[in-house]
Amino acid sequence: MSSGMKVGAVIITMGNRPDELRALLDSVAKQDGDRVEVVVVGNGSPVPEVPEGVRTVELPENLGIPGGRNVGIEAFGPGGTDVDILLFLDDDGLLARNDTAELCRAAFEADPKLGIVSFRIADPDTGVTQRRHVPRLRAADPMRSSRVTTFLGGANAVRTKVLAEVGGLPDEFFYAHEETDLAWRALDAGWMIDYRSDMVLYHPTTAPSRHAVYHRMVARNRVWLARRNLPALLVPVYLGVWVLLTLVRRPSRAALRAWFGGFKEGWTTACGPRRAMKWRTVWRLTRLGRPPVI
């Protein structure tokens, strides 16, 4: 039975996956309980035909993933406050179960400090969850639900009170690490984040490096993430660890060149407002298994 919490969904699209988008919208429409209101944002492109009742916003230019999602948030009122919970779903995903919205309502109703829920992403054909889609260091068992320190951008639910308190996603990032930026701000404000293996979004297995800008933006935004959020003493430690991890992974020469170009860009360009997290938040992240140095 629905708890009474209103649920909305934000989906951004480039307009190039109309069949997948329609399947996703159908899976949202089939959710148990009260109707989930949906806004589809055309991120610099027209929105393909959608079912009656689905609202659309068409942007004249591509604002990136966080920028597009922020527009979707505001379509539900300032900070999304016309609803209690917002789902953020990739346009080529598919909700695997009809009770996902009800599970979200129950989770947020049961835990007033729960701010964000990260869904499990699984391949629709094999059912396999990629290790990178489990938002914790100990990722060997994707079927284990747990408290975590970040979440998956295209498969999650956020209590809109979090957005009202700490703000939305960082527009400047365009692509990569915007979820961790929001997660750290939410944790610093006292909210918690859960990974739930029973809330599943089917999504084809892909590699993030398929995006041409991947290596540059991952490095640039990693620097921005540290500059915006970490205590000054931890900034060089965090970034030093990531330089070493990048070298250990032995990317191609072209990828490494792009990565270090992005790393330099992260230091030489504006990253938005700085709000260093409290040291007690550093300790909380550490207790949750992911100290903010990795």
Side-chain angles (χ1 to χ4, degrees):
M1 182 178 294
S2 294
S3 68
M5 298 187 82
K6 297 179 181 178
V7 180
V10 173
I11 301 164
I12 59 173
T13 183
M14 299 292 290
N16 55 351
R17 295 189 282 232
D19 294 339
E20 292 89 339
L21 174 62
R22 185 59 182 253
L24 170 62
L25 292 172
D26 288 345
S27 74
V28 174
K30 292 176 182 175
Q31 291 299 298
D32 299 335
D34 295 338
R35 181 173 180 265
V36 177
E37 301 290 332
V38 182
V39 169
V40 178
V41 178
N43 213 355
S45 68
V47 175
E49 184 178 352
V50 297
E52 185 177 353
V54 173
R55 289 184 286 161
T56 62
V57 179
E58 294 186 352
L59 303 177
E61 62 179 309
N62 183 355
L63 300 182
I65 293 173
R69 287 183 177 143
N70 283 338
V71 169
I73 291 169
E74 294 303 309
F76 287 97
T81 48
D82 289 350
V83 294
D84 303 296
I85 303 165
L86 277 177
L87 311 181
F88 295 90
L89 306 171
D90 277 350
D91 69 339
D92 56 345
L94 182 75
L95 290 174
R97 297 168 42 159
N98 293 346
D99 63 350
T100 302
E102 286 286 72
L103 289 172
C104 287
R105 291 185 180 99
F108 286 115
E109 186 77 21
D111 185 352
K113 295 308 295 179
L114 179 62
I116 302 172
V117 174
S118 189
F119 300 169
R120 181 167 63 89
I121 293 179
D123 184 274
D125 297 321
T126 65
V128 171
T129 296
Q130 292 179 273
R131 187 181 183 90
R132 69 184 181 88
H133 283 152
V134 182
R136 58 176 179 248
L137 290 178
R138 296 176 181 175
D141 182 8
M143 300 307 294
R144 179 172 66 88
S145 298
S146 68
R147 289 270 154 126
V148 290
T149 61
T150 189
F151 63 98
L152 305 174
N156 67 81
V158 179
R159 191 192 295 266
T160 54
K161 286 183 179 179
V162 174
L163 301 172
E165 182 174 352
V166 306
L169 296 157
D171 289 332
E172 303 92 338
F173 282 40
F174 196 85
Y175 164 78
H177 301 320
E178 66 273 5
E179 304 92 353
T180 301
D181 187 89
L182 176 57
W184 283 0
R185 285 183 281 125
L187 288 164
D188 197 49
W191 296 99
M192 301 303 293
I193 306 171
D194 280 354
Y195 166 72
R196 288 282 297 263
S197 64
D198 57 338
M199 301 183 191
V200 181
L201 184 85
Y202 284 147
H203 189 282
T205 299
T206 57
S209 55
R210 71 192 186 278
H211 300 293
V213 297
Y214 171 77
H215 296 287
R216 179 177 68 86
M217 289 199 172
V218 160
R220 183 197 68 181
N221 293 359
R222 183 78 67 185
V223 177
W224 282 358
L225 182 67
R227 288 175 57 197
R228 287 164 59 96
N229 296 286
L230 291 181
L233 287 174
L234 292 184
V235 172
V237 179
Y238 176 82
L239 295 176
V241 167
W242 278 102
V243 168
L244 291 174
L245 285 174
T246 299
L247 294 173
V248 166
R249 290 169 177 171
R250 301 177 68 182
S252 68
R253 184 172 298 180
L256 196 60
R257 185 164 53 248
W259 195 93
F260 275 106
F263 191 83
K264 179 181 178 182
E265 185 181 347
W267 285 108
T268 58
T269 55
C271 62
R274 172 170 166 78
R275 301 184 187 93
M277 67 176 63
K278 307 173 190 72
W279 281 102
R280 68 168 175 262
T281 305
V282 173
W283 177 235
R284 176 193 262 187
L285 289 163
T286 302
R287 286 190 293 111
L288 287 170
R290 189 143 197 167
V293 294
I294 188 170

